[in-house]
Amino acid sequence: MEATARILVKDGFEKTSTNRIAEVAGVSVGSLYQYFPSKEALVAAVIDRHNEEIMGLVRATLIEVADLPIEKAVRRLVTVAVAAHRINPELHRVLAEQIPRAGKLDVEAYGREVHALVRAYLDSRRKEMRRIDLDVATFICVSAIEAVAHNIVLNQAEMPPDKMVQTLVDETTRMVVGFLK
């Protein structure tokens, strides 16, 4: 999977082949096919591993902020969302483009889990929030934070300076908290 990730970043999906992956990994193509029936299966495994790494951060953060007031929790969640997108952004960019090609991989399961975790947190903080449907609040909060984090890291020619990233975290936090309260 490491070889697949390196080749995807360097050459893109179209130029990636199982022969090249086997060569870079130092294994025979036959050995590769014992575990992965196709290039798409390898890409799906890389996507799954990358998403699990990000979800590890998200899960840990939601446990960490469980007892924090909304302002502090949202700031931490926005900061972690940006940090998660900074985990190998070149790979993240390529994988985001390849998800539709990955076949049977259920990437929506990660989204459902994030929504369930955020919804549970918001439900526990109902007294701090204005009256709003929790499903709507969850959808808007997750979507806004994800979009900002994604655009900070992936839609820039280069990583913005730390000061700008901090300003974006501050303003995103202000926006989400303002919406919730």
Side-chain angles (χ1 to χ4, degrees):
M1 286 195 299
E2 285 297 320
T4 303
R6 285 194 311 266
I7 293 167
L8 282 169
V9 168
K10 183 176 180 267
D11 300 332
F13 182 83
E14 296 303 327
K15 293 182 181 173
T16 298
S17 70
T18 51
N19 286 335
R20 178 80 177 116
I21 294 166
E23 177 187 327
V24 169
V27 299
S28 72
V29 176
S31 294
L32 188 68
Y33 281 128
Q34 285 181 319
Y35 301 98
F36 302 98
S38 66
K39 171 175 77 170
E40 290 77 12
L42 275 159
V43 172
V46 171
I47 291 169
D48 193 48
R49 185 182 67 176
H50 187 71
N51 282 339
E52 273 301 321
E53 187 175 7
I54 289 170
M55 284 305 300
L57 278 174
V58 171
R59 290 177 192 118
T61 301
L62 281 159
I63 290 169
E64 173 190 318
V65 303
D67 295 325
L68 293 179
I70 286 177
E71 294 87 353
K72 290 181 179 182
V74 169
R75 177 171 304 285
R76 185 75 185 113
L77 288 169
V78 173
T79 301
V80 166
V82 172
H85 280 78
R86 282 182 150 173
I87 296 172
N88 200 344
E90 296 84 11
L91 178 62
H92 195 101
R93 191 176 291 115
V94 172
L95 295 180
E97 295 167 0
Q98 301 315 316
I99 287 172
R101 296 180 177 161
K104 63 185 182 288
L105 183 66
D106 184 11
V107 294
E108 291 176 4
Y110 295 105
R112 287 190 300 271
E113 182 181 358
V114 169
H115 279 257
L117 293 169
V118 170
R119 189 184 193 289
Y121 170 78
L122 292 176
D123 190 35
S124 76
R125 303 319 254 181
R126 277 256 193 209
K127 291 179 182 174
E128 294 177 52
M129 295 168 41
R130 66 186 171 93
R131 295 192 69 182
I132 186 171
D133 180 276
L134 273 183
D135 292 325
V136 170
T138 300
F139 179 82
I140 290 172
C141 291
V142 171
S143 297
I145 293 168
E146 169 65 18
V148 170
H150 189 87
N151 285 317
I152 288 172
V153 177
L154 301 180
N155 291 338
Q156 307 288 327
E158 58 187 47
M159 189 64 64
D162 287 343
K163 186 175 180 180
M164 181 180 176
V165 170
Q166 188 55 53
T167 299
L168 291 166
V169 167
D170 293 344
E171 294 303 326
T172 303
T173 300
R174 189 176 346 274
M175 175 182 68
V176 171
V177 170
F179 163 72
L180 291 171
K181 290 194 161 203

